[in-house]
Amino acid sequence: MDHNSCEGVVDCTALVIAEGYAEVEGKITLFGILEELKVEPRSPASFVVYAKFEGCEHAGDRPWPASVLVSDEDGQVLQESEEYALWFDESESQTIIAEFDVPEDFAAEERVLWVEAVLEDSTVSQTAVWIRERYNV
């Protein structure tokens, strides 16, 4: 047994919430990085989540299942992205872009959404975003 090698380590090195994104020639540009979501009652609102994962040199021998979850302040999962199979070859990072809609009943009061990057059924990164009603003047 080789004691100098690990079984592979993968970390989430970025978890960003944005208004939207564009992908051109394999490069991703995020638009409108969000600290909070301003929503209007009875008007659909959406956001994207960008998650970047990096693995060590021993992580490339198998796929790593990853997804993004959106939960309420009580931990109830509201939405989940599709599951992605991430492959780490020669230390290349892997990214996920997941699109979500703000639940309609969240526009009535200030609330918090929790966004989680999940790898092999374990949360590896988490952030919160406030949902606030947009007031028209």
Side-chain angles (χ1 to χ4, degrees):
M1 181 171 158
D2 183 3
H3 294 288
N4 293 326
S5 67
C6 67
E7 294 179 21
V9 175
V10 177
D11 287 319
C12 181
T13 58
L15 184 62
V16 181
I17 301 168
E19 291 177 6
Y21 77 100
E23 187 172 354
V24 178
E25 296 178 6
K27 296 188 182 210
I28 296 170
T29 301
L30 298 173
F31 298 104
I33 305 302
L34 298 170
E35 292 180 8
E36 65 181 17
L37 291 164
K38 298 250 187 198
V39 297
E40 295 180 27
R42 297 174 300 283
S43 185
S46 61
F47 61 97
V48 298
V49 176
Y50 168 88
K52 180 180 178 181
F53 297 88
E54 295 187 41
C56 76
E57 67 266 14
H58 305 107
D61 63 343
R62 65 182 179 89
W64 293 75
S67 62
V68 176
L69 301 178
V70 176
S71 304
D72 65 12
E73 52 269 282
D74 297 323
Q76 175 74 30
V77 175
L78 303 171
Q79 298 175 44
E80 184 174 0
S81 74
E82 66 181 271
E83 187 172 279
Y84 298 85
L86 304 181
W87 287 88
F88 297 93
D89 298 323
E90 298 167 22
S91 302
E92 287 186 23
S93 62
Q94 296 292 308
T95 59
I96 292 175
I97 297 277
E99 298 181 46
F100 296 99
D101 294 321
V102 175
E104 287 182 29
D105 61 335
F106 271 61
E109 59 186 72
E110 287 190 2
R111 301 198 55 187
V112 174
L113 285 180
W114 287 95
V115 178
E116 303 174 40
V118 177
L119 187 70
E120 292 192 317
D121 297 322
S122 295
T123 298
V124 292
S125 185
Q126 183 179 55
T127 190
V129 61
W130 278 96
I131 298 182
R132 302 186 194 275
E133 187 174 347
R134 180 182 310 232
Y135 295 102
N136 294 326
V137 255

